[in-house]
Structures are given as structure tokens and as C-alpha cells.
């Protein structure tokens, strides 16, 4: 396979399923074990963050039960703070904001507010709803925290897809225009068409039309219009699957070709899960990069 790069179209069904099963590519442990360890790491990191920060839990940003935020606030008197919105992964059908506060651990020390976004995962939520929810969550955050000095986004896996959709929003429909200074898109999916025929789509029930309109790879002109001032980091794990790595590389190249401020980070010695879990650590490469982007290194 290394000698001859397979295209998505040429994958047999079995290989396509494997390419879009991130847990099968970890070198650390078996597929089931890596997912259990991932949930445990995120939960422990979030519990730690809740013990370190002042928290506002279940802050509504909409009318639905799932439309809530958790806010991790540094113990600072300053109003002039940076704020990071974190959008969790889980293939649009797993995880929640309850395990999504972990990156606040090193950031609250640096006077950074972290907001973990909840959204209605499948089967309750469909793709159009989830995209609408994360967009509205960002509008709600800037309305509640109008004094912040810098707004940043971070999303992992399905959350990186949703963060890229936020960057591609036509804000004229929302009555507010967030000034997103930076975005970290970590091990994301930017073209939804390949997942249509995989197990991933069973609870989502996306049609081709839904997949196209919610694929960031199709929305680069929209992103350029609404987020041209945003510094974008497309990060991918060394041990992500070849197809996940290709998704990141192609999206990075499309953003670069459009003249956007974008860098690609190929993070050594990580897999699809450890690449985000390590944001609990202030000395981790991506944490330091985020702090440097905020002028806090």
C-alpha cells in the first residue's frame, strides 16, 4: 500500500471500514482498550479541571436539552482574557461535554477560559442540527463574554469537522460575527462522502446531499469570506490511518491554496486518541503552540 497510494474510491468495503476505524490504528493497545483508555483519560482530565477552575456547568445556549456549555474560568480578576471553545469528538455519536474540560488543566493557570460545547449526538441529532448547534454555541459565547481579548476554537476528530464548519459559517444569518483568532483542527474529517457507506453513517443516516453541504472541503470559499483573519492549525497524528492523514493533508492544501494562514502539524509518537489527550499537559507540543498563538508562551 505504501508503494501504491490507494484512492478512497478503490478501497474495498472492508478496507474502507478499517481506514475509518481510528482505534484499529493505535500502536499502544487493542482497539477496544484504546477507546476505554481514551474515555478514562478524558474523564480524569475533566475532573482535574473542575477541581482547578471555577466552573459554570450546563449553561444553556439554546432551547434543547443538549444545547448546553460547561465553562472553566481561571481564578483571575482580569476581564481581558482569551477564551477557547472545545468541540468534542466521538464520530458524532459518542462522548459529551462531560468529558471535555480536560484541556482547561494547563490553560486556566494562564488565565484562559475554556468552554466545552454540548450538542445532540446521533441518533438524536442529525448532521445539519449538530452543525447548527455548534454555530449557535459560538454566538452565545461571544454574547455572554463580550470582553474577551481573543477567541479560539479547538476540535478533535468529529469535533474538528464541526469546528471547521464553524469557520465556514455565513454569520449574517446569526446576528453576530465572532472574531475567531485561531483554530486547532485535530485529526479531523473534512470530506464526509467517504463515510457514507461505512458503519459511521448508520446512526447519522446522511444522504449524499447532506454530506456535501456539511463537508468543510467543499466550503473553503465560505471559510475565506468569514474567517480570513484566523490562524488555522491542521494537526494529524503520526499513527492516524492513511485515510485520516490524507483528509488532513488535502484540507490543509486547500486552505493554503486559498491564501489562508494555515500550518500543518504532523505530531510524532501520537495516535488518533493520544494526540488530543495530551492537551492536559502544559509541556505538550500542541498546548505550547496554542499558548504561543495567544501570546502566552
Amino acid at each position: 500500500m505504501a508503494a501504491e497510494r490507494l484512492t478512497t474510491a478503490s478501497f474495498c468495503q472492508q478496507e474502507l471500514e478499517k481506514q475509518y476505524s481510528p482505534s484499529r490504528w493505535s500502536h499502544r493497545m487493542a482497539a477496544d482498550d484504546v477507546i476505554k483508555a481514551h474515555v478514562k483519560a478524558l474523564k480524569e482530565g475533566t475532573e482535574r479541571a473542575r477541581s482547578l477552575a471555577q466552573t459554570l456547568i450546563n449553561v444553556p445556549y439554546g432551547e434543547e436539552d443538549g444545547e448546553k456549555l460547561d465553562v472553566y474560568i481561571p481564578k483571575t480578576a482580569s476581564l481581558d482574557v482569551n477564551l477557547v471553545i472545545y468541540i468534542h469528538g466521538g464520530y458524532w455519536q459518542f462522548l459529551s461535554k462531560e468529558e471535555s474540560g480536560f484541556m482547561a488543566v494547563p490553560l486556566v493557570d494562564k488565565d484562559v477560559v475554556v468552554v466545552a460545547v454540548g450538542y445532540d449526538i446521533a441518533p438524536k441529532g442529525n448532521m445539519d442540527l449538530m452543525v447548527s448547534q455548534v454555530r449557535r454555541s459560538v454566538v452565545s459565547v461571544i454574547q455572554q463574554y463580550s470582553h474577551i481579548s481573543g477567541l479560539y476554537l479547538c476540535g478533535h476528530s468529529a469535533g474538528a469537522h464541526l469546528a471547521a464548519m464553524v469557520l465556514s459559517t455565513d454569520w449574517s444569518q446569526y446576528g453576530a460575527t465572532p472574531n475567531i483568532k485561531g483554530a486547532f483542527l485535530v485529526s479531523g474529517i473534512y470530506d464526509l462522502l467517504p463515510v457514507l457507506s461505512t458503519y459511521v453513517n448508520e446512526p447519522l443516516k446522511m444522504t449524499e446531499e447532506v454530506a456535501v453541504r456539511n463537508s468543510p472541503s467543499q466550503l473553503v470559499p465560505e471559510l475565506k469570506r468569514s474567517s480570513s483573519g484566523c490562524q488555522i492549525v491542521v494537526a494529524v497524528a503520526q499513527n492516524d490511518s492513511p485515510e485520516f492523514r490524507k483528509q488532513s493533508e488535502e484540507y490543509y492544501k486547500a486552505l493554503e491554496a486559498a491564501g489562508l494562514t494555515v500550518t500543518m502539524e504532523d505530531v510524532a509518537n501520537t495516535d488518533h486518541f493520544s494526540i488530543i489527550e495530551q492537551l492536559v499537559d502544559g509541556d505538550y507540543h500542541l498546548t505550547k503552540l496554542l499558548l504561543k498563538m495567544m501570546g502566552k508562551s
Side-chain angles (χ1 to χ4, degrees):
M1 179 161 166
E4 187 181 332
R5 194 70 183 269
L6 287 170
T7 64
T8 306
S10 68
F11 285 137
C12 67
Q13 186 61 32
Q14 191 179 3
E15 181 60 22
L16 189 66
E17 298 272 352
K18 185 183 175 189
Q19 288 286 329
Y20 283 96
S21 302
S23 58
R24 293 171 69 182
W25 297 85
S26 174
H27 295 190
R28 294 181 292 142
M29 52 188 97
D32 288 350
D33 295 336
V34 82
I35 290 174
K36 283 181 197 148
H38 182 56
V39 174
K40 183 171 183 275
L42 299 187
K43 279 185 172 165
E44 285 174 356
T46 300
E47 282 165 18
R48 220 169 117 207
R50 289 185 178 186
S51 71
L52 292 171
Q54 302 173 60
T55 54
L56 298 169
I57 306 297
N58 293 325
V59 179
Y61 66 84
E63 302 297 315
E64 298 300 316
D65 287 346
E67 296 177 352
K68 292 190 169 69
L69 312 166
D70 291 345
V71 186
Y72 296 79
I73 304 165
K75 295 173 170 71
T76 174
S78 171
L79 288 176
D80 188 28
V81 293
N82 289 296
L83 186 147
V84 181
I85 296 175
Y86 178 73
I87 305 173
H88 71 80
Y91 253 160
W92 307 280
Q93 58 196 278
F94 179 55
L95 295 176
S96 71
K97 69 176 179 59
E98 305 305 319
E99 312 85 22
S100 299
F102 57 94
M103 72 180 293
V105 171
L107 295 184
V108 289
D109 274 353
K110 303 281 189 181
D111 294 344
V112 178
V113 178
V114 175
V115 176
V117 175
Y119 54 91
D120 283 317
I121 55 173
K124 185 180 181 185
N126 61 34
M127 189 59 70
D128 288 326
L129 176 65
M130 288 183 255
V131 169
S132 163
Q133 286 177 326
V134 293
R135 286 170 168 168
R136 285 185 284 114
S137 77
V138 173
V139 171
S140 175
V141 166
I142 64 163
Q143 287 169 341
Q144 289 180 59
Y145 297 93
S146 54
H147 54 268
I148 56 173
S149 57
L151 178 66
Y152 298 82
L153 278 187
C154 179
H156 172 239
S157 195
H161 159 266
L162 292 170
M165 290 300 290
V166 169
L167 294 178
S168 311
T169 307
D170 173 2
W171 294 111
S172 65
Q173 304 165 43
Y174 290 84
T177 305
N179 177 21
I180 301 166
K181 287 189 174 179
F184 277 64
L185 309 177
V186 184
S187 288
I189 292 182
Y190 309 103
D191 176 6
L192 299 183
L193 289 173
V195 303
L196 281 180
S197 61
T198 70
Y199 71 96
V200 178
N201 196 33
E202 284 166 20
L204 292 164
K205 298 183 169 51
M206 283 189 292
T207 61
E208 187 171 328
E209 184 188 1
V210 171
V212 168
R213 73 166 166 260
N214 289 296
S215 285
S217 61
Q218 305 278 343
L219 301 170
V220 175
E222 286 80 356
L223 187 148
K224 190 168 184 183
R225 272 197 295 277
S226 64
S227 305
S228 61
C230 182
Q231 270 183 276
I232 300 168
V233 174
V234 178
V236 67
Q238 181 182 348
N239 297 320
D240 261 319
S241 75
E243 189 67 7
F244 261 87
R245 289 177 58 82
K246 182 169 156 246
Q247 284 253 2
S248 285
E249 285 160 15
E250 290 185 349
Y251 189 54
Y252 159 71
K253 284 175 183 164
L255 296 179
E256 188 185 42
L260 289 148
T261 308
V262 59
T263 54
M264 177 99 189
E265 293 292 327
D266 192 340
V267 188
N269 304 315
T270 57
D271 58 33
H272 188 80
F273 305 96
S274 62
I275 190 174
I276 199 74
E277 291 164 6
Q278 291 180 68
L279 279 173
V280 77
D281 179 3
D283 291 324
Y284 175 48
H285 173 60
L286 291 184
T287 312
K288 291 201 285 194
L289 207 58
L290 177 57
L291 287 166
K292 186 179 174 188
M293 194 186 272
M294 294 174 176
K296 290 185 171 286
S297 54

